[in-house]
Amino acid sequence: MASALAALPGLFAEESRVRAFAAVALGAGDATRVARTAGLSAKETAGALRRLREQGVVTSGHDGELVVAHDRFRELARAGRPVAEAAGEQGEGEDDRVGMIVRTFVRDGRLVRLPARWTRKKVVLRHIAEQTFAPGVEYPERTVDGKLRAWCEDGEVDHVTLRRHLVDFGHLRRSDGIYSRPADSTRAGTA
């Protein structure tokens, strides 16, 4: 299984195989339609389909038509998870996942909306706190509101709601109208 997983990038390194695979994915059910859809010669199509079938990513469906073997991709994905974790790539994946979450909900320095899921909300709020407030520095409420308004322009969340969430999730501390970001908040809110 690991060798099949390792062979997959090489399988799609050849343009004719990518085009043939795309044609099958778009519904070309035989070699003639694959050639026409992919813009390949009959010889290129035959070679590409042979390799795609050998690797198990294209197969014949119940009616004999060519189809993408989705189960094969699921199988390869499951097989790849333990390999990535054993190789120590889990930490890198965490950073990628956090980045993806932030990019989904923050665009051009603006909060588009807050995620519904608690773990994702924590990630987005931590990002906003880290980008906006220095740890240990005291900010009056008026300054906090001004900084948070910039995040909320054209978004679904107002600055007061955002401020309340930052306090509730521990990314900001409030005392007598003065706010500060705790020094230990850099690890708070990891998903």
Side-chain angles (χ1 to χ4, degrees):
M1 184 62 67
S3 64
L5 187 59
L8 202 56
L11 177 66
F12 289 107
E14 174 64 42
E15 183 181 354
S16 63
R17 291 190 291 255
V18 172
R19 292 170 68 146
F21 180 82
V24 171
L26 292 171
D30 62 45
T32 304
R33 287 186 286 170
V34 170
R36 186 175 50 245
T37 303
L40 299 172
S41 70
K43 182 179 178 180
E44 289 173 313
T45 302
L49 288 175
R50 182 178 36 75
R51 287 293 309 275
L52 293 168
R53 284 176 174 270
E54 286 171 0
Q55 292 297 319
V57 297
V58 168
T59 189
S60 295
H62 300 296
D63 55 2
E65 297 269 309
L66 295 172
V67 293
V68 171
H70 295 284
D71 290 340
R72 177 68 170 156
F73 283 101
R74 283 188 207 96
E75 182 181 298
L76 291 170
R78 278 193 301 273
R81 278 189 213 122
V83 171
E85 290 172 9
E89 295 174 5
Q90 191 173 11
E92 292 174 21
E94 179 69 17
D95 287 345
D96 291 343
R97 193 177 69 76
V98 167
M100 183 193 69
I101 292 169
V102 170
R103 285 188 303 277
T104 300
F105 296 98
V106 176
R107 295 201 187 108
D108 300 321
R110 304 281 190 275
L111 176 63
V112 178
R113 70 189 193 315
L114 279 173
R117 288 181 58 190
W118 186 79
T119 54
R120 291 180 179 181
K121 189 179 291 185
K122 253 184 139 166
V123 168
V124 170
L125 291 170
R126 185 187 72 226
H127 171 79
I128 291 171
E130 289 175 350
Q131 297 298 311
T132 310
F133 305 103
V137 175
E138 294 184 342
Y139 300 91
E141 188 169 296
R142 180 180 224 143
T143 303
V144 170
D145 286 348
K147 288 177 173 284
L148 295 180
R149 271 190 192 99
W151 284 98
C152 298
E153 287 179 18
D154 302 324
E156 296 178 7
V157 180
D158 64 89
H159 70 281
V160 175
T161 302
L162 181 56
R163 183 184 69 212
R164 187 183 77 241
H165 282 310
L166 287 168
V167 171
D168 290 348
F169 280 77
H171 296 296
L172 284 181
R173 289 190 183 140
R174 174 179 47 214
S175 177
D176 297 324
I178 302 295
Y179 295 78
S180 65
R181 183 177 138 221
D184 61 350
S185 74
T186 57
R187 289 306 306 155
T190 56

